[in-house]
């Protein structure tokens, strides 16, 4: 392709060459070289140097169809170019020099059709080679050959340890095996070949070939003595170290825009959105960038703009910016995080560390009482930070164990009035928050997953325990809540476990509930832990799922117990104070053209019996059927669901006054 392109350029530039050439190239031809050593080329231009736009050296192994291009540099006297020794691996070489002039013309040496008739450089060590060089057959003429090149593919770079030449003779049944001859850069290596009617291969002893570019030429005849046209292709041989340094690149991406102009009841609701994504790989590293920008971004809301960058290798993943990780289903499961995450992948042992921000600070409403100079702050959100560390141990493909430790805390300093209220004067003004309290949250989750029979049987179990402080605005105190009582712990815990020392990891005060069941003494001076009372843990959660996929049935059983005090700030949508048992079956019939789904679930709340006077029971039964007869035929789906919710309450009494009351019966 390159050869044809330059031929076309020559035809287009002939008038310029004939009419505008104002100088010539002066070059002493290089006649020989030493393989593996660098080779320098010099050239002079007899005209005005300012008229030379570019000067390039084109060089190739003799008989090759394409050239390697090296730019020549001007040192104030002459133009020079250096060819590295790695590109000079032995055998005859061919080259020419081409100058592009500023007015559009070109000149070369040799000056007559340099692409087809270049200058030749011989190998200085050719006479000492261990293999015998033979005169190549002329490339013109011969019967068209139908070789199938298996390895190495034309133009590729391969490591020395992977070197093998393989050519299929499937399309050449009448070839004479004894006539096959294979040359590398003009040197005959036929004695190393292994031949069969279907394939020929060539392997060489280690160290026979040096790194560099090689041209393979294959000669053969048929059983009648007629010669086939020679087959020629090139490849590059590199060392293992050079292979690590080479860069393989691929790149793709997408950009999108959205413009919307709306007017609702006289209020404009315009929107401009830009999205972009670019992905690629460099030397086995997968890279990516993505971003979203919208015109309605505002500090009064959570961030809408986002930016993400990631890099992935076979051993490490790194992600920066905005992302939605799924760490575990009882800690962080798909919520938005703005920060960084790194994952170390060692097959048997994996380690994930995440640090970032779940929420950013938002301050929407402030009011000033001018008489007392007190600011009332409402409708606000604290910045919420998060850290997660998760080691994972894998036992083959059938068992893995994840241990997740998550810490999320609201940053009370993020809503400092001196930084967020323009007219606030810290010397004369005071402030009071009216709304949500800042929270501190610690969750420890264990997850075991067992996969058997090619994942036809999958069992997953999560067991998590959380510890939450519902209000950390007051700081650290030597007290904790057990049940309905607040107990002082200053004299109970050792010094290294004092609340002050633990505040870096978790803030303890009277708004913290002890996560382990305990019995408090009558004088409220001490308590005794009762860890064996599993069902009394106020912040315990376990979630079990069993999936069986046999005989066209996909059976799923789910058992979930989430205690009322369990909390994960990174998973605010998780329903608590529930005990759920559910079983479902998806039946596939007639090659998946008929699918029947059955599901039954039972759920109740008030697990500890402390916050409600009654228990709510919910039972549901559902069935669905889908018929998909095939292409161009309609799909029919029908479903049925029975839902029952009841509690222990029979009568509701509402007192209207001191003397009147209305009783309303509850019909179950």
């Amino acid at each position: 392709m390159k050869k044809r392109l330059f031929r076309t350029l020559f035809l287009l530039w002939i008038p310029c060459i004939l009419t505008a050439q104002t100088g010539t190239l002066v070059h002493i031809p290089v006649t020989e070289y030493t393989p593996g050593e660098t080779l320098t080329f010099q050239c002079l231009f007899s005209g005005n140097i300012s008229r030379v736009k570019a000067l390039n050296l084109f060089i190739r192994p003799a008989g090759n169809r394409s050239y390697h291009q090296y730019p020549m540099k001007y040192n104030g006297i002459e133009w020079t170019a250096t060819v590295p020794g790695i590109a000079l691996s032995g055998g005859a070489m061919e080259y020419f020099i081409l100058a592009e002039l500023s007015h559009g013309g070109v000149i070369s040496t040799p000056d007559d059709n340099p692409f087809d008739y270049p200058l030749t450089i011989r190998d200085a060590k050719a006479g000492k080679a261990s293999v015998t060089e033979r005169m190549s057959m002329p490339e013109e003429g011969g019967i068209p050959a139908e070789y199938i090149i298996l390895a190495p593919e034309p133009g590729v770079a391969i490591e020395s340890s992977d070197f093998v030449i393989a050519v299929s003779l499937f399309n050449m049944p009448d070839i004479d095996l004894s006539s096959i001859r294979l040359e590398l850069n003009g040197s005959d290596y036929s004695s190393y070949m292994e031949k069969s009617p279907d394939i020929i291969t060539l392997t060489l002893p280690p160290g026979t070939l040096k790194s560099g570019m090689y041209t393979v030429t294959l000669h053969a005849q048929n059983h009648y003595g007629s010669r086939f046209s020679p087959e020629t292709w090139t490849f590059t041989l590199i060392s293992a170290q050079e292979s690590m340094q080479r860069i393989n690149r691929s790149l793709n991406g997408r950009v999108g825009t959205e413009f919307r102009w709306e007017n609702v009841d006289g209020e404009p609701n315009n929107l401009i959105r830009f999205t972009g994504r670019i992905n690629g790989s460099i030397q086995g590293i997968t890279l990516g960038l993505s971003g979203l920008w919208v015109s309605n971004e505002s500090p009064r809301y959570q961030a809408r703009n986002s930016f993400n960058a990631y890099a992935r290798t076979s051993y490490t993943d790194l992600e920066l910016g905005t992302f939605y990780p799924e760490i575990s289903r009882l800690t962080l499961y798909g919520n938005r995080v703005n920060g960084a995450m790194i994952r170390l992948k060692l097959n048997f042992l994996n380690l994930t560390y995440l640090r970032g921000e779940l929420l950013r600070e938002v301050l929407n409403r402030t009011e000033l009482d001018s008489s007392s100079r007190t600011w009332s702050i409402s409708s606000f959100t604290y910045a919420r930070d998060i850290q997660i560390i998760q080691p994972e141990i894998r036992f083959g493909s059938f068992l893995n164990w994840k241990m997740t430790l998550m810490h999320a805390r609201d940053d009370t300093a993020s809503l400092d009035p001196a930084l967020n209220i323009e007219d606030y004067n810290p010397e004369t003004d005071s402030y009071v928050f009216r709304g949500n309290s800042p929270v501190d949250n610690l969750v420890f989750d264990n997850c075991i997953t067992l996969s058997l029979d090619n994942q036809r049987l999958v069992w997953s179990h999560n067991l998590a325990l959380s510890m939450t402080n519902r209000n950390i605005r007051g700081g650290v105190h030597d007290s904790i809540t057990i049940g309905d009582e607040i107990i002082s712990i200053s004299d109970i815990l050792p010094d290294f476990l004092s609340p002050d020392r633990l505040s870096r990891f978790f803030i303890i005060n009277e708004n913290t509930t002890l996560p382990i069941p305990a019995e408090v003494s009558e004088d409220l001076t001490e308590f005794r832990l009762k860890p064996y009372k599993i069902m009394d843990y106020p912040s315990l959660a376990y979630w079990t799922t069993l999936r069986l996929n046999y005989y066209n049935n996909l059976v799923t059983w789910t058992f979930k117990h989430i205690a009322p005090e369990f909390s994960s700030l990174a998973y605010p949508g998780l329903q608590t104070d529930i005990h759920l048992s559910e079983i479902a079956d998806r039946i596939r019939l007639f090659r998946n053209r008929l699918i029947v789904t059955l599901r039954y679930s039972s759920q109740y709340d008030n697990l500890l019996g402390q916050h409600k006077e009654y228990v709510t029971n919910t039972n549901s039964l559902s069935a669905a059927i889908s018929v998909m007869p095939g292409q161009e035929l309609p799909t029919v789906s029908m479903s049925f669901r029975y839902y029952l919710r009841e509690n222990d309450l029979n009568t509701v009494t509402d007192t209207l006054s001191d003397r009147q009351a209305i009783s309303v019966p509850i019909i179950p």
Side-chain angles (χ1 to χ4, degrees):
M1 183 67 185
K2 195 172 186 180
K3 182 176 178 181
R4 294 178 181 176
L5 176 61
F6 275 100
R7 283 179 173 174
T8 304
L9 291 175
F10 262 104
L11 293 175
L12 295 175
W13 290 342
I14 284 176
C16 297
I17 296 174
L18 295 177
T19 60
Q21 183 171 318
T22 57
T24 59
L25 295 178
V26 180
H27 169 66
I28 300 176
V30 179
T31 58
E32 67 177 20
Y33 76 99
T34 301
E37 297 182 3
T38 58
L39 185 61
T40 302
F41 295 79
Q42 296 91 17
C43 182
L44 296 174
F45 180 67
S46 62
N48 189 344
I49 296 298
S50 62
R51 295 180 180 177
V52 178
K53 182 179 179 181
L55 202 65
N56 293 288
L57 168 71
F58 295 83
I59 188 169
R60 69 181 181 184
N64 201 351
R65 297 176 182 176
S66 60
Y67 288 87
H68 272 229
Q69 179 178 339
Y70 296 89
M72 302 189 75
K73 298 180 180 180
Y74 184 63
N75 59 14
I77 300 176
E78 61 184 2
W79 300 78
T80 62
T82 301
V83 179
I86 189 175
L88 303 170
S89 57
M93 304 292 291
E94 297 174 338
Y95 78 97
F96 68 91
I97 298 173
L98 181 72
E100 300 179 28
L101 304 181
S102 58
H103 55 64
V106 295
I107 55 177
S108 65
T109 180
D111 55 3
D112 184 17
N113 197 2
F115 292 94
D116 294 332
Y117 301 99
L119 300 173
T120 302
I121 316 173
R122 68 181 181 87
D123 183 354
K125 295 184 177 180
K128 302 178 182 179
S130 59
V131 294
T132 304
E133 291 190 5
R134 301 181 182 177
M135 183 67 66
S136 299
M137 294 183 180
E139 295 190 6
E140 295 79 7
I143 304 172
E146 297 185 36
Y147 300 105
I148 301 176
I149 301 173
L150 303 178
E153 296 181 3
V156 302
I158 61 172
E159 290 188 30
S160 303
S161 58
D162 297 331
F163 170 76
V164 62
I165 295 178
V167 179
S168 172
L169 306 177
F170 179 79
N171 294 329
M172 303 180 67
D174 59 344
I175 192 171
D176 183 3
L177 296 180
S178 62
S179 68
I180 299 176
R181 186 159 56 88
L182 189 148
E183 296 178 353
L184 289 175
N185 289 353
S187 300
D188 193 343
Y189 288 86
S190 303
S191 59
Y192 293 95
M193 282 197 305
E194 295 184 5
K195 307 174 186 178
S196 72
D198 298 321
I199 191 172
I200 58 173
T201 59
L202 172 69
T203 56
L204 297 174
T208 303
L209 299 179
K210 297 181 179 180
S211 299
M213 180 183 293
Y214 287 87
T215 299
V216 183
T217 305
L218 195 60
H219 305 277
Q221 298 178 355
N222 61 17
H223 291 295
Y224 308 101
S226 299
R227 187 178 67 250
F228 290 105
S229 298
E231 184 73 20
T232 304
W233 75 97
T234 62
F235 67 93
T236 302
L237 200 64
I238 58 177
S239 64
Q241 182 179 3
E242 293 164 346
S243 176
M244 295 296 295
Q245 296 174 351
R246 282 182 170 256
I247 298 178
N248 297 320
R249 293 171 290 186
S250 63
L251 193 66
N252 62 81
R254 176 180 296 179
V255 177
T257 60
E258 177 186 350
F259 302 92
R260 187 180 70 197
W261 286 269
E262 291 182 350
N263 193 292
V264 181
D265 295 332
E267 292 293 331
N269 187 28
N270 303 329
L271 175 67
I272 303 175
R273 181 197 302 265
F274 291 97
T275 59
R277 174 184 59 82
I278 183 170
N279 306 93
S281 62
I282 300 178
Q283 192 63 24
I285 303 175
T286 302
L287 302 172
L289 292 172
S290 62
L292 167 67
W293 180 89
V294 293
S295 59
N296 59 353
E297 172 74 11
S298 171
R300 299 181 58 188
Y301 309 101
Q302 291 301 316
R304 297 171 180 175
N305 295 338
S306 65
F307 170 80
N308 176 265
Y310 67 84
R312 299 189 179 103
T313 69
S314 56
Y315 297 102
T316 308
D317 291 347
L318 176 64
E319 196 156 3
L320 303 172
T322 304
F323 48 96
Y324 300 82
E326 295 183 358
I327 302 298
S328 75
R329 56 186 180 182
L330 287 176
T331 55
L332 175 61
Y333 200 67
N335 204 3
R336 172 178 171 141
V337 175
N338 189 36
M341 181 175 68
I342 185 170
R343 177 175 285 121
L344 182 65
K345 301 178 293 185
L346 301 178
N347 196 13
F348 171 73
L349 176 64
N350 302 323
L351 181 64
T352 301
Y353 177 73
L354 179 148
R355 184 167 186 171
E357 189 178 71
L358 286 169
L359 301 172
R360 71 175 181 181
E361 67 275 7
V362 174
L363 183 59
N364 279 334
R365 185 180 303 166
T366 59
E367 295 180 1
L368 174 63
D369 185 348
S370 57
S371 60
S372 61
R373 297 298 301 176
T374 300
W375 291 86
S376 178
I377 303 175
S378 59
S379 185
F380 59 88
T381 302
Y382 289 99
R384 179 167 292 173
D385 301 324
I386 184 173
Q387 287 191 74
I388 291 179
I389 184 169
Q390 182 190 70
E392 177 185 7
I393 300 175
R394 303 182 66 91
F395 301 91
S397 60
F398 65 92
L399 180 65
N400 74 316
W401 178 23
K402 296 180 181 179
M403 294 159 284
T404 306
L405 179 62
M406 186 203 79
H407 181 217
R409 177 185 292 178
D410 289 342
D411 184 4
T412 55
S414 62
L415 291 181
D416 187 348
L419 301 176
N420 293 277
I421 302 177
E422 183 178 356
D423 298 329
Y424 181 81
N425 187 344
E427 297 181 357
T428 60
D429 297 354
S430 60
Y431 62 90
V432 59
F433 285 97
R434 304 186 185 279
N436 296 330
S437 301
V439 184
D440 198 1
N441 180 228
L442 198 64
V443 182
F444 180 69
D445 177 35
N446 273 276
C447 177
I448 298 177
T449 302
L450 178 66
S451 301
L452 299 175
D453 195 11
N454 198 22
Q455 295 193 346
R456 290 179 176 271
L457 188 155
V458 179
W459 173 71
S460 179
H461 179 72
N462 288 76
L463 178 64
L465 188 67
S466 75
M467 189 171 182
T468 305
N469 189 325
R470 304 291 179 181
N471 188 352
I472 62 174
R473 190 176 291 136
V476 178
H477 293 165
D478 290 334
S479 56
I480 196 170
T481 298
I482 301 178
D484 296 328
E485 306 293 343
I486 298 177
I487 306 299
S488 175
I489 57 176
S490 57
D491 299 329
I492 299 176
L493 296 178
D495 183 64
F496 69 93
L497 291 179
S498 66
D500 287 330
R501 291 183 177 272
L502 295 177
S503 61
R504 180 180 177 183
F505 307 100
F506 188 81
I507 297 176
I508 297 176
N509 59 28
E510 63 276 6
N511 300 302
T512 305
T513 300
L514 186 68
I516 302 175
E519 186 178 82
V520 183
S521 62
E522 294 183 0
D523 56 1
L524 305 181
T525 58
E526 60 181 17
F527 61 89
R528 185 174 59 182
L529 298 178
K530 294 187 176 182
Y532 53 87
K533 291 189 174 183
I534 302 298
M535 302 306 296
D536 291 341
Y537 276 71
S539 57
L540 179 69
Y542 47 90
W543 189 337
T544 297
T545 302
L546 177 64
R547 187 183 68 188
L548 303 172
N549 190 0
Y550 290 97
Y551 304 107
N552 293 329
N553 285 260
L554 179 59
V555 180
T556 304
W557 175 69
T558 302
F559 182 77
K560 188 189 302 185
H561 177 101
I562 313 293
E565 293 294 332
F566 181 85
S567 175
S568 174
L569 295 185
Y571 193 179
L574 181 66
Q575 185 179 0
T576 60
D577 194 18
I578 63 166
H579 184 97
L580 170 70
S581 181
E582 179 181 273
I583 186 169
D585 186 14
R586 187 181 184 188
I587 308 170
R588 307 180 299 277
L589 302 172
F590 305 111
R591 297 183 179 180
N592 295 335
R593 296 186 182 276
L594 176 64
I595 297 179
V596 179
T597 303
L598 305 174
R599 185 185 306 272
Y600 172 77
S601 68
S602 177
Q603 173 183 320
Y604 64 87
D605 59 10
N606 196 17
L607 302 185
L608 301 182
Q610 297 177 350
H611 305 288
K612 297 180 181 179
E613 297 179 357
Y614 53 88
V615 176
T616 301
N617 292 281
T618 303
N619 295 278
S620 66
L621 176 66
S622 64
I625 183 172
S626 297
V627 181
M628 295 166 285
Q631 295 182 353
E632 300 182 0
L633 294 175
T635 299
V636 179
S637 298
M638 296 179 292
S639 63
F640 165 81
R641 184 178 183 184
Y642 174 76
Y643 184 85
L644 176 63
R645 183 175 182 179
E646 58 184 359
N647 52 49
D648 299 331
L649 189 62
N650 296 319
T651 303
V652 175
T653 301
D654 187 8
T655 303
L656 301 180
S657 65
D658 294 339
R659 299 181 180 180
Q660 292 180 326
I662 296 179
S663 297
V664 180
I666 302 298
I667 301 176

